[in-house]
Amino acid sequence: MSPFKNKKDGFFAFSSGERRGSVILLGILVLIISIHIFIPHFIHSQDTDFSSFQKEITQFEQSRIDEKEQTEPFDFLTPNHFAEKKKLTPFPFDPNQMDAGMGEKLGLSLKQTQSIENYLHKGGRFRKKEDFKKMYCISESMYKVLESYIIIPEQTKVFKENTVSASTPQSKLFVVELNSADTLDLKELKGIGSGFARKIINYKKKLGGYISKFQLLEVYGFTPELLAQIEKQLTIDATKIRKIDINTASLDEMKQHPYWDYYIAKAVYRYRTEHQKFNSVDEVQKISLITPEVFQKIKPYLSVE
């Protein structure tokens, strides 16, 4: 017999103890595999009912959402009619009687209520419903929700006995037309110094002219109290407004207006390029970036000549 063959047989041969161990190990493996295969068929697991727990989670999440809606301030630069309707609790009211209690019941913020109160305390009055939406703390969508609830009683004129002699000269109220006034004219108004006069003129140039006295509240530092103080001395000639021809204006010209930013101006410019021209001013509403509030503010300054 070859020595090589004997060596090979010895290498692959198992002793009797090794063979028994191998059989036992194989049996254990078969048993483990069988358990994993057959045990699930005999044991029925009971599903845990999480519906009650899930309901509690849903209620908690909803309470967090409600709390967030009540505490987060509303962004009046981007108003949402649905949000306003959900936030406000309107009832018939006279804005000339506004106070903290009324404002809270209506759903107005403390800052809004104080702004209206300050305007009234300085002599300002709401003579018709439309005057209320001219307050720049009241957004267009907010006004739409409250409009049908605004009640302004017809004012009863009270004539006081004239104790001044007919021969006594009456002082004439100095009146300023905003769109033609210069800084010297404005400085004649009580509370308007050189600084405010320059700001009013500079903002008029950016706008293209004033269409409402309430636009003065957009001038940095101008307050409702100051407006109420000089309101009766102001007039506006809307024919003096400088308009933007949206069919010919450059991108730079359009983006300079305070009511438009670069992105809106660019969207208008792109729309005009794609459609050759605007057939009417109302057509700009087709541009998604122009919200109803933005359109109402910018409309008087646009033309399609």
Side-chain angles (χ1 to χ4, degrees):
M1 181 179 292
S2 169
F4 178 78
K5 184 176 179 180
N6 291 334
K7 186 177 181 181
K8 182 177 178 182
D9 292 341
F11 181 81
F12 287 100
F14 291 97
S15 66
S16 60
E18 289 173 334
R19 285 196 294 271
R20 283 196 300 272
S22 298
V23 171
I24 294 172
L25 180 60
L26 181 61
I28 293 173
L29 289 175
V30 171
L31 179 62
I32 293 173
I33 293 172
S34 300
I35 290 173
H36 279 282
I37 293 175
F38 295 106
I39 287 297
H41 294 285
F42 298 99
I43 300 177
H44 299 284
S45 61
Q46 183 176 0
D47 295 335
T48 303
D49 184 6
F50 290 100
S51 60
S52 177
F53 181 62
Q54 183 63 41
K55 184 177 180 180
E56 292 180 2
I57 293 176
T58 302
Q59 291 175 344
F60 175 75
E61 290 177 343
Q62 185 60 48
S63 68
R64 294 292 296 170
I65 293 173
D66 294 340
E67 181 181 351
K68 184 177 180 181
E69 290 178 348
Q70 293 173 4
T71 57
E72 283 190 349
F74 184 76
D75 185 2
F76 293 98
L77 295 178
T78 55
N80 180 284
H81 183 71
F82 174 77
E84 295 285 21
K85 191 172 183 180
K86 186 176 181 181
K87 173 184 175 182
L88 298 173
T89 53
F91 57 85
F93 72 100
D94 179 0
N96 289 308
Q97 305 299 321
M98 182 64 67
D99 56 25
M102 180 186 292
E104 183 179 1
K105 290 180 181 178
L106 285 170
L108 301 180
S109 68
L110 180 59
K111 186 176 181 180
Q112 287 174 297
T113 304
Q114 289 176 341
S115 181
I116 296 171
E117 283 187 290
N118 290 337
Y119 174 72
L120 294 173
H121 289 163
K122 293 297 181 178
R125 299 289 295 175
F126 300 104
R127 295 176 176 82
K128 55 183 183 295
K129 288 185 177 183
E130 291 76 12
D131 289 343
F132 190 64
K133 72 176 178 180
K134 292 178 181 178
M135 293 294 295
Y136 273 73
C137 63
I138 302 296
S139 68
E140 182 72 21
S141 55
M142 179 175 286
Y143 174 74
K144 287 180 180 178
V145 176
L146 297 175
E147 180 181 11
S148 59
Y149 295 91
I150 299 175
I151 299 176
I152 301 180
E154 188 174 347
Q155 300 296 316
T156 303
K157 295 183 179 180
V158 179
F159 296 92
K160 295 182 179 181
E161 183 179 356
N162 187 2
T163 57
V164 182
S165 171
S167 59
T168 303
Q170 298 294 313
S171 58
K172 188 177 180 180
L173 192 66
F174 182 77
V175 177
V176 172
E177 196 286 303
L178 276 175
N179 288 329
S180 58
D182 56 22
T183 55
L184 293 177
D185 295 326
L186 293 170
K187 286 166 64 176
E188 293 294 325
L189 301 173
K190 185 178 180 181
I192 304 297
S194 299
F196 263 139
R198 285 194 300 271
K199 289 179 182 179
I200 292 170
I201 296 298
N202 289 338
Y203 194 61
K204 177 178 68 175
K205 292 177 180 177
K206 292 180 179 179
L207 283 171
Y210 293 99
I211 59 172
S212 168
K213 301 173 186 178
F214 289 89
Q215 285 176 292
L216 290 175
L217 296 175
E218 298 173 12
V219 175
Y220 181 76
F222 210 96
T223 63
E225 295 88 343
L226 183 54
L227 177 60
Q229 181 175 294
I230 65 174
E231 181 184 5
K232 294 179 181 179
Q233 294 178 260
L234 302 175
T235 62
I236 290 177
D237 183 356
T239 63
K240 297 183 182 298
I241 292 175
R242 184 182 73 256
K243 296 193 175 187
I244 301 172
D245 185 348
I246 52 178
N247 281 329
T248 60
S250 67
L251 177 61
D252 287 337
E253 289 175 323
M254 288 189 287
K255 74 179 183 180
Q256 295 301 321
H257 199 280
Y259 295 157
W260 278 0
D261 58 23
Y262 170 78
Y263 298 101
I264 293 178
K266 188 174 181 179
V268 172
Y269 186 81
R270 181 181 300 170
Y271 184 94
R272 183 182 75 192
T273 302
E274 294 174 352
H275 297 80
Q276 295 185 343
K277 69 173 184 177
F278 289 95
N279 296 312
S280 70
V281 169
D282 292 340
E283 196 173 339
V284 300
Q285 295 180 91
K286 294 181 179 180
I287 299 171
S288 60
L289 290 178
I290 298 182
T291 63
E293 184 182 25
V294 170
F295 177 70
Q296 290 301 319
K297 292 175 71 175
I298 194 66
K299 182 179 179 180
Y301 297 99
L302 304 182
S303 71
V304 289
E305 296 177 0

